[in-house]
Amino acid sequence: MSRPDLNRTQSNKSLKGEDYTTMHSYDGDDAAVDGVTGEMSKASIGGGRPTMHRRRSSRKSISAEIEQARRIVDFGEDAADEEDVFDEGEYDDSPEVPYAFAFDIDGVLMRGGTPIPEAIDALAILNGNNARKLKVPYIFITNGGGKLEEHRVAELQEKLKQDCSIAQFIQSHTPFRGMTDKYETVLVVGGEGHACRDVAESYGFKNVVIPGDIIAWDPSVVPFRTLTKEELEHCRPQDFSKIKIDAIFVFADSRDWAGDQQIILDLLLSKGGYMGTRSKTFEEGPPIYFSNPDVLWATPNVLPRYGMGALRMCIEALFREATDGKPFKCTQLGKPYNATYEYATRVLTEWRALEHGIEAPPRNIYMVGDGPNSDIRGGNMAGWETILVETGIYDPADGPPKYKPSTIQKNVLEAVKWAMAREEEIGGF
């Protein structure tokens, strides 16, 4: 059987009729273009996949099964690996579940690092603690980041008390993996300390600079920022007036808005990416990539907090002011832009092929999120079913959401119950 072609790389319409692109280049007027779409999609969404010849045994956990599926999407591995070969006469007798879930994390499963109480029960149900003992595949899609995937997964497992794997975890900066061969020296911004440098280097970036390196080289770049002794131990100061920064990647939320904005703007306005220079045209600086478009996100605070999307807006305003109104150009990843949704669909499709020998995407994928402008909008554009929960940034007192979900539920447990009941009514499995 041939597999469905899920590697869409051009602008098109979703199943629900809304225009979208795999990557979004932002020039301050919300214009969507496909300048880097093909390259990034090919590298980060995966290429062709091998043809399945038999079904696998289903005595593994959901996380282990999806991990094998993601290896195939990412690397084209054959389904039958040396460590997991089964007898030709052994078949999977578990129900062929025709649907799957995708969960946002902050505001849905966690809030400021603390589990939302209903989240543990919701995942337990999907892992088989339900009347029919169904194992329902699920993945996590987050606009958060700034840590190695394995660290985020370990944290999630401990707090949610459920087995999960790196393969189920898709961060907004995961597509940056596909850019490692394009840029020699990059500035990586955001996250705690040098954590984002570690992530970028694990992706394969060769020369990774963080803002602290530049401040350690010349403290006058950011006058009111004094690096701690611990920060200095991890800095790699060089003469950045002689080192070309080829691109800027904002991996995670900034912990130092003033300092990070100053350095980013110095480079955007520079002549060729060299610190201490200034372009006459303001068109010679390095390109900048943002991994997360969220302006607001949910924390333990009673009100939502400002995120990376707000930082981008500040940088845009300062850039326009410095250039007498010149358009600000950047490339924006993360939800609601559909590179992430395409990748998730391919992983879940591969899981079905491995687990049940079904060569088609799930009939329904349920995106459970708290953000109408990201989770719900993106899920709608991808043709998924969308469930908006009230445990994060969405407040029903504010009125109907701008982007309409399939349903609004109190919390993630109610969302899972609603979707599973809906699938039972549809039947066929």
Side-chain angles (χ1 to χ4, degrees), residues 189-377:
V189 178
E192 295 285 350
H194 58 92
C196 284
R197 190 200 318 259
D198 295 341
V199 176
E201 289 178 342
S202 77
Y203 284 1
F205 284 102
K206 303 174 186 67
N207 302 312
V208 181
V209 178
I210 59 175
D213 299 342
I214 295 174
I215 298 172
W217 160 66
D218 182 359
S220 70
V221 170
V222 183
F224 304 114
R225 176 77 160 90
T226 301
L227 298 174
T228 66
K229 181 179 179 181
E230 182 181 359
E231 287 174 323
L232 285 168
E233 288 175 354
H234 294 284
C235 288
R236 304 171 187 172
Q238 306 173 65
D239 186 351
F240 290 102
S241 67
K242 298 178 181 178
I243 295 174
K244 176 182 173 62
I245 302 294
D246 296 304
I248 303 167
F249 290 91
V250 186
F251 266 65
D253 285 303
S254 169
R255 269 57 171 181
D256 177 18
W257 278 43
D260 289 348
Q261 285 184 88
Q262 182 67 70
I263 291 171
I264 288 171
L265 284 159
D266 281 347
L267 288 168
L268 293 176
L269 300 171
S270 71
K271 187 175 180 61
Y274 294 94
M275 288 294 295
T277 66
R278 185 58 55 99
S279 170
K280 292 182 179 180
T281 64
F282 304 120
E283 295 179 349
E284 301 174 89
I288 183 168
Y289 298 83
F290 290 90
S291 67
N292 180 355
D294 289 348
V295 175
L296 298 171
W297 67 293
T299 75
N301 192 277
V302 66
L303 296 174
R305 302 291 86 188
Y306 289 109
M308 192 187 301
L311 177 70
R312 191 210 72 216
M313 295 168 69
C314 291
I315 291 172
E316 176 185 352
L318 291 169
F319 182 88
R320 287 179 177 270
E321 178 67 24
T323 61
D324 196 24
K326 201 170 188 66
F328 172 69
K329 297 179 181 180
C330 71
T331 300
Q332 179 71 72
L333 283 75
K335 298 177 292 184
Y337 309 113
N338 89 303
T340 300
Y341 294 90
E342 286 187 350
Y343 182 85
T345 301
R346 294 198 65 184
V347 169
L348 291 169
T349 300
E350 195 65 56
W351 177 86
R352 299 189 78 213
L354 289 171
E355 179 64 8
H356 299 301
I358 302 172
E359 307 282 345
R363 71 185 181 191
N364 286 314
I365 300 174
Y366 292 89
M367 178 73 231
V368 184
D370 69 316
N373 294 341
S374 56
D375 304 313
I376 303 308
R377 183 187 179 193

Side-chain angles (χ1 to χ4, degrees), residues 11 18-21 23-34 293 295 309 312-313 316 320 327-333 336-337 373 377 381 402-403:
S11 296
E18 186 171 355
D19 287 314
Y20 64 83
T21 56
M23 202 66 56
H24 190 83
S25 289
Y26 182 82
D27 66 0
D29 297 313
D30 244 2
V33 299
D34 289 321
V295 175
R312 191 210 72 216
M313 295 168 69
E316 176 185 352
R320 287 179 177 270
F328 172 69
K329 297 179 181 180
C330 71
T331 300
Q332 179 71 72
L333 283 75
Y337 309 113
N373 294 341
R377 183 187 179 193
M381 289 193 294
K402 180 178 179 180
Y403 297 97

